[in-house]
Amino acid sequence: GGGEGRIATRICTMESYELVLCLAYWTACLGFVALLNFYNADAVGIKIAQASIGLLWLGFVLAISFMEAWVKFRSPILQKAIALDVGARVFRALNIVEVAFAGTLIILNLPFIPDVTLISLITMLSIQTAYLTPTLSFRGHLRLVKDIERKNLIDERMKKYYDNVRDVTLASGRKPPKWLHAVYVTIEILKIFMIPFYVWDCLATRLRR
């Protein structure tokens, strides 16, 4: 009901650093598209550009989902609740970058027949960005409120953040199911196979010419 609507609004509201990240990557990606247009890139050049962006996308996914996320939890002095909160911020940032890459690929793909692999990747990314990441972030917030005591926070900025998180979690009577994390991981695994396939298809198109 209304409580869930307020939660969705709070979770989906972008923070200042996220807005900067979004602006920076969209500016870079659109600048890249403008550069291709300026030099009148042909179909082969556009395919190479698409492959390059695909490799960048793959690199981000591998670095965050299959290294940073795993390594972070190996620290013996980092509380799990804090690690989850850090992870939520990192994955929100990752989604922002991925959306910029996917949006650029859509723009570059417009003059051509829609690519099934690209459409599948964008669909999976949309599910992650619009639902899974915010929902799993909320689950992490529940853990934060449960494990961290406000009186132990030494900074007013920490206390303000804690209060905001607590208000959001108290507004909901539901705890998101744990299996949503498995769904997210499954999508990430699919992406690390599908993105290279997409890249290879782009390069194979060039080789056939």
Side-chain angles (χ1 to χ4, degrees), residues 90-141:
V90 170
F91 276 92
R92 281 183 59 156
L94 174 62
N95 287 162
I96 289 171
V97 174
E98 288 185 282
V99 168
F101 289 154
T104 307
L105 291 175
I106 291 173
I107 294 172
L108 292 176
N109 201 59
L110 286 178
F112 307 104
I113 298 173
D115 187 284
V116 175
T117 305
L118 180 59
I119 292 173
S120 300
L121 285 167
I122 291 171
T123 300
M124 291 189 293
L125 177 60
S126 298
I127 294 171
Q128 288 180 311
T129 304
Y131 179 68
L132 290 175
T133 299
T135 303
L136 291 173
S137 295
F138 178 68
R139 187 179 171 85
H141 287 164

Side-chain angles (χ1 to χ4, degrees), residues 3 12 15 49 66 79 81 97-98 110 131 137 140 146 149 158 164 172 190 196 202:
C12 294
E15 297 187 32
F66 295 93
Q79 286 183 267
V97 174
E98 288 185 282
L110 286 178
Y131 179 68
S137 295
K146 177 184 176 183
E149 292 189 25
M158 293 181 182
N164 288 336
S172 174
L190 288 172
C202 291

Side-chain angles (χ1 to χ4, degrees), residues 20-140:
V20 170
L21 189 65
C22 183
L23 180 63
Y25 272 88
W26 270 108
T27 300
C29 289
L30 293 178
F32 180 62
V33 172
L35 191 64
L36 290 173
N37 185 63
F38 178 78
Y39 284 104
N40 295 316
D42 59 10
V44 174
I46 290 176
K47 282 295 182 182
I48 294 174
Q50 289 173 314
S52 300
I53 294 172
L55 288 174
L56 279 173
W57 187 354
L58 177 64
F60 269 85
V61 173
L62 288 173
I64 299 300
S65 297
F66 295 93
M67 189 182 74
E68 185 276 341
W70 179 78
V71 171
K72 177 174 69 257
F73 287 100
R74 304 280 77 77
S75 173
I77 61 173
L78 184 63
Q79 286 183 267
K80 188 171 182 179
I82 296 176
L84 289 171
D85 187 66
V86 172
R89 289 174 174 268
V90 170
F91 276 92
R92 281 183 59 156
L94 174 62
N95 287 162
I96 289 171
V97 174
E98 288 185 282
V99 168
F101 289 154
T104 307
L105 291 175
I106 291 173
I107 294 172
L108 292 176
N109 201 59
L110 286 178
F112 307 104
I113 298 173
D115 187 284
V116 175
T117 305
L118 180 59
I119 292 173
S120 300
L121 285 167
I122 291 171
T123 300
M124 291 189 293
L125 177 60
S126 298
I127 294 171
Q128 288 180 311
T129 304
Y131 179 68
L132 290 175
T133 299
T135 303
L136 291 173
S137 295
F138 178 68
R139 187 179 171 85

Side-chain angles (χ1 to χ4, degrees), residues 124-194:
M124 291 189 293
L125 177 60
S126 298
I127 294 171
Q128 288 180 311
T129 304
Y131 179 68
L132 290 175
T133 299
T135 303
L136 291 173
S137 295
F138 178 68
R139 187 179 171 85
H141 287 164
L142 289 171
R143 181 67 180 265
L144 183 70
V145 173
K146 177 184 176 183
D147 291 1
I148 304 295
E149 292 189 25
R150 190 181 189 281
K151 65 181 181 181
N152 294 331
L153 300 176
I154 59 175
D155 186 274
E156 283 302 317
R157 183 165 170 261
M158 293 181 182
K159 292 178 180 178
K160 183 178 180 180
Y161 176 69
Y162 180 89
D163 291 341
N164 288 336
V165 170
R166 183 187 57 197
D167 291 344
V168 173
T169 56
L170 289 177
S172 174
R174 295 184 182 180
K175 183 178 182 180
K178 190 175 182 179
W179 55 262
L180 288 177
H181 183 264
V183 174
Y184 195 101
V185 172
T186 300
I187 291 177
E188 291 296 270
I189 293 172
L190 288 172
K191 279 158 62 177
I192 65 169
F193 284 101
M194 293 180 69

Side-chain angles (χ1 to χ4, degrees), residues 2-27:
E4 292 180 353
R6 288 192 296 272
I7 291 169
T9 300
R10 289 290 293 277
I11 291 176
C12 294
T13 300
M14 296 180 71
E15 297 187 32
S16 57
Y17 77 92
E18 293 174 324
L19 289 171
V20 170
L21 189 65
C22 183
L23 180 63
Y25 272 88
W26 270 108
T27 300

